[in-house]
Amino acid sequence: MTTPRPLKIMVIDDEGIVGKRLKSALEKAGDVVETFEEGEAALARFAEDPFDIVVTDIRMEKIDGIEILEKIRAVSTPTKVIIITGYATIEIARDAISKGAYDFIAKPFKPDDLRAIIRRASKELRS
């Protein structure tokens, strides 16, 4: 049985500390993680080399998580986009899911909660 290749995960959050914490937590599973504090830079990197999973904050300056979700889904339908937010409302969650988000998680959350969502997403990606 072959070991599945590591997932390529992009984390976008305008709070640098969030990206750092998630990067170290997600790399423990052997995945490759790149973090970005600005949506524009993340989208430029994604255009060069798509990622399997994108974890994005919803509230950021210039470009928000919903816009990132729409742009990524337009160019890479297999990519799973997970929305994280400190401003969770039913409306935001419904909007994100209707636009193709894989899942939605409210801050603060435990890294294990996010890892569980990523494991679920990876099973779908590999099936």
Side-chain angles (χ1 to χ4, degrees):
M1 190 168 119
T2 58
T3 307
R5 70 169 176 78
L7 289 170
K8 285 180 49 194
I9 302 171
M10 174 181 280
V11 176
I12 312 164
D13 195 306
D14 56 357
E15 292 178 64
I17 189 74
V18 174
K20 281 188 184 125
R21 285 189 181 140
L22 292 179
K23 180 176 173 72
S24 65
L26 298 174
E27 284 179 338
K28 285 179 183 160
D31 295 318
V32 177
V33 182
E34 288 185 38
T35 62
F36 297 86
E37 290 182 31
E38 293 183 352
E40 295 90 341
L43 290 170
R45 175 72 179 100
F46 193 92
E48 292 167 12
D49 189 14
F51 286 68
D52 300 307
I53 295 175
V54 174
V55 179
T56 182
D57 191 11
I58 206 156
R59 282 216 178 154
M60 297 181 291
E61 290 191 25
K62 295 183 186 166
I63 182 168
D64 69 16
I66 295 291
E67 214 175 322
I68 286 170
L69 165 66
E70 291 172 328
K71 289 181 187 301
I72 285 173
R73 298 288 298 158
V75 296
S76 178
T77 51
T79 299
K80 304 293 184 202
V81 180
I82 300 165
I83 302 286
I84 59 177
T85 183
Y87 306 93
T89 65
I90 297 297
E91 292 76 27
I92 292 171
R94 193 177 294 132
D95 189 34
I97 299 299
S98 74
K99 290 187 168 128
Y102 178 73
D103 210 334
F104 181 92
I105 188 167
K107 292 179 185 177
F109 57 86
K110 294 181 180 77
D112 283 348
D113 297 340
L114 180 59
R115 279 199 288 256
I117 294 169
I118 288 172
R119 272 196 305 277
R120 252 191 9 248
S122 73
K123 285 180 184 156
E124 286 187 28
L125 285 167
R126 293 179 171 137
S127 62

